[in-house]
Amino acid sequence: MNCHEQLKTVAAMVAVNFAISVANVLIKMILDQGANYLVVITYRQSISTVFISAVAFFLERKSRPKLTFRILCHIFASALLGATLTQYFFLLGLKYTSATFSCAFINLVPAITFILSLVFKLEKVNLGSKCGRAKVLGTFICIGGALLLGLYRGMPLTNPAYPQAEIPGTSHAKTSISSHRTKSWATGSMVLTAASLTWSSWFLLQAGISKKYPCQYSSTAILSFFSATQAAILSSILDRDLSSWILKGKLEISSVIFAGIVGSGLCYGLMSWCVNKKGPVFTAAFTPFIQIFVAIFDFSILHEQIHLGSVLGSILVIAGLYILLWGKSKEEEDCVMKQSQVAEEDPECDMTPQVSSN
């Protein structure tokens, strides 16, 4: 892949993570106002289906390969893991915690993706090399940072946006609220871990789908349709209150539309394209950008407090992530150098096309 193509994939992933950050902040705002997260997912994926289907019709109608039942089953599983369950767990975690904390936890995705790639033999590790040790060390640092995020909140580093005066006789109530928030924070950590696992699994599954059905807009449209159906069924089972299906106010309507068109439709399409071009680990590696963007929005718009544990845990997760990526990058460079040496020693090898592992 030349420099121009490399820049295109990097720019696409930065744009994707910025759009996801905006969608997350908007969704957090409407969840705080009482919106049902399963209803939000259903509407979001339905809007995504309509929008991305139109895009797929105009851009891929002449190049679309045959859609087999096997591919449909893979896309159904991809929708369940990458859209329905990931969004369900993430929005549930977002409800219990803050947007910054939730996105910090999602930084685990590249490390989990790497571990799953090892399990399914999509990645290899040579512990005798510096690159292999860097990948393992980075993974353990990421996991340590995630544990710190979940188990330690620490002192607040920012003052509340709207401080309240101390009222006599309210100490018991404050203790009760603090206990409830601690419990919610722990619950949020568990569901965010589940979200990280399902999203990591989606990257691996999508890598296989991209090879068999390389039309990213068409596959995203089918994925969005399956996800909307799955979320609607889940919502009807878990919450039968019909009033929750009515969106209230301009903020809820505009947030769901933006999340559907941009956050799900365009972003999942671009991520599928990047997975096809550069592989699942590269695509997952850009998730820390979500936290950077969300932290800015979270502090300036939502006026959330930032705690010491969140900062320290985030630093560890991001540091571990980029140690992992450094190891992977150096390993790829070494592989290219070895291939070049073999080609120079045996010119006939140069006639054999090289297939990228990504």
Side-chain angles (χ1 to χ4, degrees), residues 21 125 150 162 223 265 285 307 341:
S21 303
V125 171
Y162 306 102
L223 179 148
H307 291 81
Q341 290 173 358

Side-chain angles (χ1 to χ4, degrees), residues 240-308:
R240 299 188 179 184
D241 183 11
L242 295 178
S243 63
S244 63
W245 288 88
I246 302 172
L247 297 178
K248 306 173 184 70
K250 294 180 180 179
L251 179 63
E252 286 194 11
I253 295 171
S254 59
S255 297
V256 169
I257 291 173
F258 178 85
I261 294 175
V262 181
S264 288
L266 290 178
C267 287
Y268 273 84
L270 283 172
M271 282 192 291
S272 299
W273 174 75
C274 284
V275 166
N276 188 34
K277 291 287 183 181
K278 292 288 289 179
V281 176
F282 173 88
T283 308
F286 285 82
T287 50
F289 279 98
I290 298 178
Q291 185 191 357
I292 295 169
F293 294 135
V294 165
I296 297 169
F297 297 139
D298 209 2
F299 180 67
S300 60
I301 297 174
L302 299 181
H303 306 295
E304 293 279 0
Q305 284 190 336
I306 298 175
H307 291 81
L308 179 62

Side-chain angles (χ1 to χ4, degrees), residues 113-145:
T113 304
F114 172 67
I115 293 171
L116 291 176
S117 296
L118 287 178
V119 172
F120 292 102
K121 299 182 179 179
L122 298 175
E123 287 277 340
K124 294 180 180 179
V125 171
N126 179 13
L127 292 177
S129 69
K130 189 185 293 185
C131 305
R133 291 194 296 270
K135 292 201 292 187
V136 173
L137 176 64
T139 301
F140 278 111
I141 292 175
C142 275
I143 293 171

Side-chain angles (χ1 to χ4, degrees), residues 166-181:
E166 183 73 26
I167 301 173
T170 60
S171 59
H172 176 72
K174 285 185 176 181
T175 302
S176 178
I177 291 171
S178 176
S179 174
H180 173 71
R181 284 182 177 175

Side-chain angles (χ1 to χ4, degrees), residues 11 28 89-90 119 154 157 172 197 211 213 218 246 272 315 327:
K28 171 65 175 174
F89 290 135
F90 180 76
V119 172
L157 301 179
H172 176 72
L197 283 167
K211 293 176 182 177
Y213 195 75
S218 298
I246 302 172
S272 299
I315 290 171

Side-chain angles (χ1 to χ4, degrees), residues 45 67-86 198 202 205-206 209 213 218-234:
Q45 296 304 113
L67 184 64
T68 64
F69 180 73
R70 184 182 181 87
I71 293 173
L72 271 177
C73 290
H74 286 170
I75 297 176
F76 182 87
S78 177
L80 184 63
L81 288 173
T84 307
L85 290 180
T86 294
T198 53
W202 177 82
L205 188 58
Q206 191 60 37
I209 293 171
Y213 195 75
S218 298
S219 64
T220 302
I222 300 168
L223 179 148
S224 297
F225 171 76
F226 282 146
S227 177
T229 306
Q230 292 162 357
I233 293 171
L234 269 176

